[in-house]
Amino acid sequence: MAISGSSLANIITPSPNFDERTLPVTMLIMHYTGMQDGPSAIDWLANPEAKVSAHYVVTEDGQIILMVDEEKRAWHAGRSFWRGITNVNSASIGIEIINPGHEWGYRPFPEEQMRAVHQLASDIVQRYSIQSYNVVGHSDIAPARKMDPGELFDWPRLGKSGLALQVPNGRLVDPYWTDGAFLLALERLGYAIDDETAAVRAFQRRFRPSNIDGIIDGECRALLFALLLEIPEWSAKQN
């Protein structure tokens, strides 16, 4: 079966688990496989009984595997939400990164793997003109269900290249929002807030991985305020 995607892919392992898109691609979603080893994860994503897939898998030694044609809707996001979109699968490219995850011995992502993820993400973002605030993790779009790619994923690497939102640095200003106002601002950034604690934890896992306690504090408020100022349509409303 001929499938098309990034020229960076050096292995093709087709998955039957896809259907037609109903939305244009505006998002890139990062996952970890969360299985004991890479071959098992790849076999599962290619198994029709699994009912799950991704467009790409990146192995620990930096191999990039193409599994679903980019024109098709891979089944990687599940029940999810980001910036008003509930059919995230239709609007996104999904990258699965080989890592056992929190259940099987979560560990740092090797340099070769992160280099390949960075190159692949750069290629996809450029071709689809994806905004940095729409390059997110599975935990961002499904905070009550998922933790991947997790607090060890090198988001700062993508942030420094402008591919994803960068963790704000320098002098941060606490806007002293109430918790309710913080949650509304979190929703403005993109998160579903129906499970408030899960949403806060997902935000912390992404932007303050050193303390994922689910508690809204001054640092969280200041980080979120600074992040929103990076989003043109929100910052324009403040001026």
Side-chain angles (χ1 to χ4, degrees):
M1 177 174 64
I3 58 177
S4 62
S6 173
S7 61
L8 295 171
N10 42 26
I11 301 172
I12 297 177
T13 303
S15 171
N17 303 325
F18 64 87
D19 54 12
E20 299 299 319
R21 291 191 184 276
T22 58
L23 294 171
V25 173
T26 56
M27 290 185 268
L28 176 60
I29 314 297
M30 302 292 180
H31 307 257
Y32 63 42
T33 51
M35 296 184 69
Q36 288 177 293
D37 59 75
S40 297
I42 295 165
D43 287 347
W44 183 242
L45 292 167
N47 186 337
E49 295 183 5
K51 305 295 184 186
V52 294
S53 61
H55 294 91
Y56 297 96
V57 174
V58 180
T59 66
E60 290 183 303
D61 63 356
Q63 299 294 311
I64 298 174
I65 303 170
L66 175 63
M67 300 197 74
V68 174
D69 193 307
E70 284 186 7
E71 293 186 358
K72 304 299 183 181
R73 185 178 82 150
W75 303 340
H76 59 95
R79 188 177 71 257
S80 52
F81 172 94
W82 187 253
R83 294 179 62 80
I85 293 177
T86 55
N87 189 353
V88 173
N89 279 336
S90 270
S92 65
I93 301 289
I95 300 176
E96 288 276 0
I97 305 160
I98 298 294
N99 188 291
H102 293 83
E103 186 176 356
W104 298 104
Y106 189 45
R107 57 179 179 250
F109 298 81
E111 168 60 23
E112 296 85 355
Q113 188 176 43
M114 277 307 310
R115 186 186 307 120
V117 169
H118 183 269
Q119 292 172 340
L120 180 59
S122 180
D123 175 56
I124 293 169
V125 164
Q126 182 175 2
R127 287 190 288 110
Y128 289 96
S129 299
I130 297 173
Q131 298 294 324
S132 60
Y133 50 76
N134 279 341
V135 178
V136 294
H138 203 182
S139 59
D140 296 313
I141 63 173
R145 300 189 300 111
K146 297 294 181 179
M147 293 190 291
D148 57 312
E151 60 276 8
L152 298 179
F153 184 73
D154 194 356
W155 283 112
R157 184 177 191 143
L158 302 187
K160 288 175 184 176
S161 300
L163 299 175
L165 285 176
Q166 190 167 5
V167 176
N169 53 32
R171 188 172 181 273
L172 297 174
V173 177
D174 184 351
Y176 291 101
W177 291 321
T178 64
D179 286 0
F182 175 88
L183 290 165
L184 289 175
L186 195 59
E187 187 176 42
R188 173 69 69 176
L189 183 61
Y191 289 85
I193 58 170
D194 47 318
D195 185 327
E196 297 175 0
T197 301
V200 174
R201 285 183 181 276
F203 174 78
Q204 293 170 335
R205 179 168 278 111
R206 172 72 184 274
F207 297 106
R208 194 189 67 182
S210 61
N211 183 8
I212 310 170
D213 59 8
I215 298 171
I216 299 169
D217 57 24
E219 185 179 27
C220 289
R221 291 191 297 266
L223 286 167
L224 180 53
F225 182 66
L227 287 163
L228 285 174
L229 290 176
E230 296 298 315
I231 298 178
E233 63 265 30
W234 191 86
S235 59
K237 294 177 182 179
Q238 311 308 304
N239 299 320

